[in-house]
Amino acid sequence: MLLACLWACPGPDAWAGAPGASQERFAAIVIDAQTGETLYARHADARRYPASLTKVMTLFLAFDALEAGRAKRTDRIIISPRAAAKPPSRLGLAAGSSLTLQEAMDVLVVKSANDVATAMAEHLGGDEAAFARAMNAKARRLGLAHTQFRNASGLPDSQHYSTARDLARLGRAFLKEHPGDYAIFGQQQTLFRGRVIKGHNRLLAEPGIDGFKTGFINASGYNLLTSGLRDGRRVIAVVLGGRSARTRDAFMDRLIQASFSSLAIRSAGFEVAVSDLLAPSPVKPSDSAPIMLAAAEAAPSAGIAQVRPVSAPASVDGGAATPPPRQWWIQVGAFRSKSTSLARLEAVSQRHPRQFGRRASDVTRTGALFAARFSARSAKGASAACAVLTAEGEDCLVLLE
């Protein structure tokens, strides 16, 4: 998993503005693929250049044609002089040569070849202008109200635009209408006439992320439409306007993981916004590995640590002691050094300021270890905060003493 947030994150919600991109190009959104609910959005309705994310619609129409019997996977796609002249990225076939529709679709996903996109549009639509009209008609039927296509590739055109929200809806519509064909977007490479062609979508190597498309033109920056599945829940995310593929991918990975965490916390009965989980990851303490107390008492099936009461001491004379006021604590680690525990408290507070930033913190000696913990006013509040960490795969324990 890519853990570093490589883009600057100013603003009130742990990410405001355009990380590594100008405000004129940045946009992002995450939706729940099942319900269509928006889990996160920044500039999601602002007009942007989709670049090669356009090719998702090109492939959508190709699969429509296959399903309707208007095309076959063995159809020969002829590379016209107009297609052969398209700028990179391209497959580079000479005008007059051909490839099958299936080969064209595979190359379109992996290589994002503009010459192949144009040739496919000419084959399916008669010419690229007619195919673009079909793309726009399909966009209207899908409810993409702020999208307009002028070509099949996403090459620059001032009248060729979309929004992050529309592109997420496009991805969701493809999953609904062609669920059996979605796997084509998960290819990291393809074999074309004995030549291995490697793809651009590095995030496909990340656990749970399984498909869709990258894109880039100078006017758009680095774009990505992606989808992931975890514990039976699928999300679809769009990031537009990255300054580099690396920074775009790093933020997209954090965005996807934060979305999964938010859904897991919700299933446990609590609410936390995706934006609250997007603060940069802390530097991990290096002087000692964390050793959690009573780790076996965690409840992974619920995603929340169990409450662990701490018994009050008996009185010296054997009588019943008057119990002091009880206090709820959220224990986030136990370490061999006090400095590491303090660093852990600071890291958690910075990463999740809304859940932990205003809580009193404490380092308590427990045997040979120093327990790092935050105070809480109630069991419900402690469990809700703890759920934020357990949803990220970290141990957390609720204590009452």
Side-chain angles (χ1 to χ4, degrees), residues 110-132:
V110 176
K111 180 68 173 174
S112 197
N114 297 320
D115 51 354
V116 172
T118 300
M120 186 186 297
E122 292 170 344
H123 177 83
L124 295 173
D127 60 57
E128 191 168 18
F131 188 79

Side-chain angles (χ1 to χ4, degrees), residues 89-93 99-100 102-116 184 186-202 204 213-214:
S89 175
R90 60 189 175 196
L91 185 60
L93 295 179
L99 69 169
T100 68
Q102 182 62 61
E103 289 174 327
M105 291 191 297
D106 290 337
V107 168
L108 205 62
V109 169
V110 176
K111 180 68 173 174
S112 197
N114 297 320
D115 51 354
V116 172
I184 195 172
Q187 297 180 93
Q188 298 183 58
Q189 63 182 38
T190 190
L191 185 65
F192 180 74
R193 299 178 186 176
R195 175 162 58 108
V196 175
I197 300 175
K198 295 187 180 294
H200 309 294
N201 194 348
R202 303 290 185 263
L204 291 175
K213 189 79 183 65
T214 61

Side-chain angles (χ1 to χ4, degrees), residues 179-300:
D181 299 312
Y182 170 66
I184 195 172
F185 291 106
Q187 297 180 93
Q188 298 183 58
Q189 63 182 38
T190 190
L191 185 65
F192 180 74
R193 299 178 186 176
R195 175 162 58 108
V196 175
I197 300 175
K198 295 187 180 294
H200 309 294
N201 194 348
R202 303 290 185 263
L203 278 190
L204 291 175
E206 296 299 314
I209 296 178
D210 55 15
F212 284 134
K213 189 79 183 65
T214 61
F216 171 79
I217 57 174
N218 288 330
S220 72
Y222 289 84
N223 297 345
L224 181 59
L225 164 62
T226 197
S227 182
L229 181 68
R230 181 188 292 175
D231 298 329
R233 302 295 296 271
R234 177 173 292 281
V235 298
I236 299 169
V238 177
V239 172
L240 307 177
R243 191 167 289 163
S244 71
R246 183 169 176 257
T247 53
R248 173 204 63 195
D249 290 352
F251 179 69
M252 175 63 87
D253 186 66
R254 287 193 59 76
L255 189 59
I256 290 283
Q257 303 310 327
S259 300
F260 284 139
S261 293
S262 178
L263 290 172
I265 292 167
R266 181 184 298 181
S267 69
F270 302 96
E271 291 288 337
V272 62
V274 172
S275 58
D276 290 341
L277 303 174
L278 275 179
S281 295
V283 177
K284 294 183 179 179
S286 59
D287 59 336
S288 175
I291 302 175
M292 292 304 298
L293 296 178
E297 295 184 343

Side-chain angles (χ1 to χ4, degrees), residues 12 53-54 99 122-123 165 174 301 309 312-313 345 364 366 376 396:
L53 303 192
T54 298
L99 69 169
E122 292 170 344
H123 177 83
R165 191 181 308 277
F174 188 96
S301 61
L345 291 169
T364 299
T366 306
C396 184

Side-chain angles (χ1 to χ4, degrees), residues 44-74:
D45 297 304
R47 185 180 293 186
R48 299 289 186 258
Y49 292 111
S52 286
L53 303 192
T54 298
K55 295 181 176 86
V56 175
M57 179 61 90
T58 302
L59 286 157
F60 207 144
L61 293 189
F63 282 114
D64 283 353
L66 287 169
E67 187 174 88
R70 292 182 279 106
K72 296 182 295 183
R73 296 175 187 270
T74 55

Side-chain angles (χ1 to χ4, degrees), residues 295-308:
E297 295 184 343
S301 61
I304 301 178
Q306 291 180 342
V307 174
R308 178 189 173 192

